[in-house]
Amino acid sequence: MDDKDGTATLNIKGITHKFAAVSAAAARVETVELVSKHAKQRGTAVRALMHDDQGSWPVKR
């Protein structure tokens, strides 16, 4: 999801969200916030898989 330049693309149920942050770390924070917002709107936990130059890991919110 995150690129070294801080850009990210997040796909939730076929809707693509693109954004640019000041760094990859900031993009990770924004990505988790978007996943959290989606979970809150659904009223249930959601799972996501994040990929960046450091590897891949699950995000649960």
Side-chain angles (χ1 to χ4, degrees):
M1 281 183 200
D2 304 328
D3 291 327
K4 290 179 184 178
D5 64 359
T7 60
T9 303
L10 177 64
N11 186 301
I12 299 175
K13 293 207 167 232
I15 300 172
T16 300
H17 306 267
K18 293 184 178 188
F19 54 91
V22 297
S23 67
R28 286 184 202 97
V29 170
E30 287 190 39
T31 300
V32 171
E33 287 175 357
L34 282 172
V35 172
S36 296
K37 181 179 175 182
H38 179 69
K40 188 173 184 176
Q41 289 172 342
R42 287 185 51 179
T44 186
V46 297
R47 293 183 201 180
L49 186 60
M50 185 178 289
H51 307 279
D52 68 13
D53 61 331
Q54 297 179 12
S56 300
W57 62 91
V59 178
K60 292 182 185 178
R61 289 290 184 226

